[in-house]
Amino acid sequence: MVTGEYLLAALFPRIPFDLLIRLEYVSAYLPIPLAAHFIASEAGKRWPAPVLFLSAFLIALIPWAPLPLLTRSILAYYPIALFSIGYLFFAIILPSVRERSENARTVLAGFVIIASAGLNDMLFASFLVGTGNLIPYALVVFVCILSFALASR
């Protein structure tokens, strides 16, 4: 609603540009720690503190940082996102698969799809690939896969 063609601005034309950009950055920075918490809970692991710690600084910028600083902060976000993806894979998901935890392979499949789409979208936003944004499609697949995992419990 706040990325791409700004559907929110079309629905509410009087929304200030500053608020629109800040909402866009909420939609960019918040999914990583929330997804990390969800995946850790699905894998039966505790909250991934390194992901929260690294994301907290950028999330704290959203309400008060001037827009030029906020928009440049995306350059710091990409390495944090890459670290978070690696941390989730090696510290949470892979050990769950090795322990043969319930639905670990299903969570792994969903994670690989959503992480691949996230990496693609970072490359697309950096103008390094021309594939387009794949996260919306990956989210549908991710939700379907995890719905299957939750239903099989």
Side-chain angles (χ1 to χ4, degrees):
M1 297 213 30
V2 292
T3 58
E5 298 193 23
Y6 296 104
L7 177 61
L8 191 63
L11 294 173
F12 303 101
R14 294 182 184 252
I15 192 166
F17 179 75
D18 184 79
L19 178 60
L20 193 64
I21 296 301
R22 292 181 193 285
L23 288 173
E24 180 177 10
Y25 278 80
V26 167
S27 72
Y29 293 164
L30 215 48
I32 293 277
L34 294 177
H37 177 63
F38 177 76
I39 289 170
S41 67
E42 279 301 302
K45 304 291 183 187
R46 57 188 192 94
W47 172 254
V51 174
L52 173 64
F53 177 75
L54 290 173
S55 301
F57 175 73
L58 291 174
I59 293 168
L61 283 177
I62 295 170
W64 62 268
L67 284 187
L69 174 63
L70 183 61
T71 56
R72 286 187 187 99
S73 69
I74 197 77
L75 299 174
Y77 170 73
Y78 290 155
I80 291 170
L82 291 174
F83 168 80
S84 299
I85 290 169
Y87 179 84
L88 285 172
F89 182 76
F90 289 109
I92 294 177
I93 295 174
L94 213 51
S96 295
V97 171
R98 286 189 190 129
E99 295 165 2
R100 299 183 191 267
S101 298
E102 183 183 8
N103 296 322
R105 290 181 186 217
T106 309
V107 171
L108 173 64
F111 176 78
V112 167
I113 290 169
I114 202 80
S116 300
L119 292 172
N120 171 76
D121 286 4
M122 284 188 271
L123 292 171
F124 178 71
S126 300
F127 302 106
L128 297 174
V129 297
T131 54
N133 288 320
L134 298 180
I135 281 286
Y137 308 109
L139 279 172
V140 170
V141 174
F142 181 72
V143 167
C144 290
I145 287 173
L146 290 182
S147 296
F148 172 75
L150 292 172
S152 67
R153 283 187 179 173

